[in-house]
């Protein structure tokens, strides 16, 4: 069974940075697409960033391009989301996900709050 454990959220001032981590129970990230969604209060969950299996191509939602960077450490079965120049509108619960055999598995979510 796939298990994803997230960490790294917290409170940060506008313009600050955070790095989220998503650790998997096995060697699945190198063979499957992985990424993050987020859900702000009162809003639907939205896709933020993804990294494909194989060549590791990355994809970003327009509002985070140039500020967020996703990377994958296959040896440690961990995916990282580096978030820079954070804005109040980035406040949300961030969920990592991985798609295996057509099924999506989710992390437990980690809260990111951007506020002065």
């Amino acid at each position: 069974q796939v298990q994803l454990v997230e960490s790294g959220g917290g409170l940060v001032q506008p313009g600050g940075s955070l790095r989220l981590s998503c650790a998997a129970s096995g060697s699945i990230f190198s063979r499957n697409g992985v990424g993050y969604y987020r859900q702000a209060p009162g809003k639907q969950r939205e896709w933020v960033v993804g990294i494909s299996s194989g060549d590791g191509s990355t994809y970003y939602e327009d509002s985070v391009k140039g500020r967020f960077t996703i990377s994958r450490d296959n040896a440690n079965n961990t995916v990282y989301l580096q978030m820079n120049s954070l804005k109040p509108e980035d406040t949300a619960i961030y969920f990592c996900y991985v798609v295996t055999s057509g099924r999506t598995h989710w992390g437990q979510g980690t809260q990111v709050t951007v506020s002065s």
Side-chain angles (χ1 to χ4, degrees):
Q1 183 173 348
V2 175
Q3 290 186 326
L4 303 176
V5 178
E6 300 185 55
S7 61
L11 172 64
V12 64
Q13 292 185 341
S17 298
L18 283 173
R19 189 176 79 157
L20 307 184
S21 300
C22 177
S25 54
S27 302
I28 59 173
F29 288 152
S30 63
R31 296 178 280 112
N32 299 283
V34 63
Y36 279 86
Y37 276 71
R38 66 186 179 186
Q39 187 165 17
K43 295 187 177 181
Q44 290 188 333
R45 192 175 295 191
E46 65 173 358
W47 175 83
V48 178
V49 59
I51 184 167
S52 65
S53 59
D55 67 359
S57 297
T58 55
Y59 306 89
Y60 298 91
E61 193 271 329
D62 285 347
S63 69
V64 306
K65 284 181 181 177
R67 301 189 298 121
F68 289 13
T69 303
I70 188 170
S71 61
R72 186 176 65 194
D73 182 347
N74 293 336
N76 293 301
N77 304 321
T78 302
V79 168
Y80 301 99
L81 180 61
Q82 178 67 43
M83 304 185 296
N84 299 326
S85 301
L86 282 161
K87 304 175 181 180
E89 51 263 43
D90 294 317
T91 295
I93 301 173
Y94 284 70
F95 298 89
C96 69
Y97 71 91
V98 63
V99 181
T100 64
S101 302
R103 180 180 174 184
T104 302
H105 306 269
W106 297 95
Q108 83 279 12
T110 186
Q111 176 71 47
V112 171
T113 302
V114 185
S115 175
S116 55

